[in-house]
Amino acid sequence: IAHKYLGGFFFNKNMFDASFESYNVAIRIFEWCIDNGQVSTLKYDDIVQCYTHLLELEDDRSGPISESRGTICYKLANCYVEVNRHEDAVLMYREAIMIQSQIFGADHLSVANSLHNLGNCYRDVGDFDKSADCLSKSLSLSTAAFGDDHEDVADTCHCLAVTMTSRCELDDAIPLFERALAVRRKKLV
């Protein structure tokens, strides 16, 4: 948290390089806490604030289209989901997808991952048509990259099946659940 406040101090003093570094240190600490199961000690609102300031600083450093900005948008969207700010998450995922598509191409795995999360976010707010569209695109990209027997493909199949179930399209959901289960069973053997 100290680095977050230090980043804010530098930001308010127009010391943008120092602010950028302090916010990056804060983010690395927050991410370490997440990776090491220390989530209960985190305040996602603090992480959101750090990422929001990093976005402002990134515009001045690299402009509106950069790999770093795409990554920040993606991570900020994930944090917005954690604090139930799904509308903000949708905007950030969409920006991340736009940037990732321009930099890496529309068939890149980063696009597939962002589409997957965007699809889940749409499902969380009850927009099942957009959810199904995003998850279907993600599934297509992941299958093309990994083949049918990959955990990412199974995960997206499962999420799409949940969306189809929410739309009362059980005939479409069941084969997706079965496909996900088949991959996961193979991984257990």
Side-chain angles (χ1 to χ4, degrees), residues 103-136:
I103 292 175
F104 304 120
D107 59 347
H108 194 268
L109 286 175
S110 64
V111 174
N113 196 32
S114 294
L115 282 166
H116 175 98
N117 288 359
L118 178 58
N120 287 337
C121 192
Y122 277 132
R123 187 182 60 242
D124 290 345
V125 297
D127 195 336
F128 303 122
D129 292 337
K130 288 182 181 175
S131 174
D133 184 52
C134 290
L135 289 166
S136 293

Side-chain angles (χ1 to χ4, degrees), residues 8 12 34 40 48 78 81 84 89 92 96 179 181:
N12 291 332
I34 292 168
S40 62
V48 165
N78 290 339
V81 168
N84 293 316
M92 286 294 104
R179 183 174 169 193
L181 185 58

Side-chain angles (χ1 to χ4, degrees), residues 66-177:
S66 69
E67 183 176 347
S68 176
R69 182 176 177 83
T71 300
I72 293 168
C73 288
Y74 174 79
K75 290 181 175 185
L76 178 55
N78 290 339
C79 290
Y80 279 144
V81 168
E82 292 295 327
V83 295
N84 293 316
R85 290 176 55 183
H86 291 87
E87 292 80 15
D88 293 325
V90 165
L91 294 174
M92 286 294 104
Y93 282 132
R94 290 177 66 179
E95 184 172 347
I97 291 165
M98 183 269 304
I99 292 169
Q100 293 162 341
S101 295
Q102 287 186 17
I103 292 175
F104 304 120
D107 59 347
H108 194 268
L109 286 175
S110 64
V111 174
N113 196 32
S114 294
L115 282 166
H116 175 98
N117 288 359
L118 178 58
N120 287 337
C121 192
Y122 277 132
R123 187 182 60 242
D124 290 345
V125 297
D127 195 336
F128 303 122
D129 292 337
K130 288 182 181 175
S131 174
D133 184 52
C134 290
L135 289 166
S136 293
K137 289 177 185 173
S138 176
L139 181 59
S140 177
L141 293 173
S142 296
T143 302
F146 296 124
D148 287 328
D149 292 333
H150 192 274
E151 188 62 33
D152 286 358
V153 173
D155 190 36
T156 303
C157 282
H158 175 84
C159 291
L160 182 55
V162 170
T163 295
M164 293 300 169
T165 301
S166 299
R167 289 175 20 164
C168 297
E169 297 177 7
L170 299 180
D171 289 341
D172 293 327
I174 291 170
L176 290 164
F177 278 128

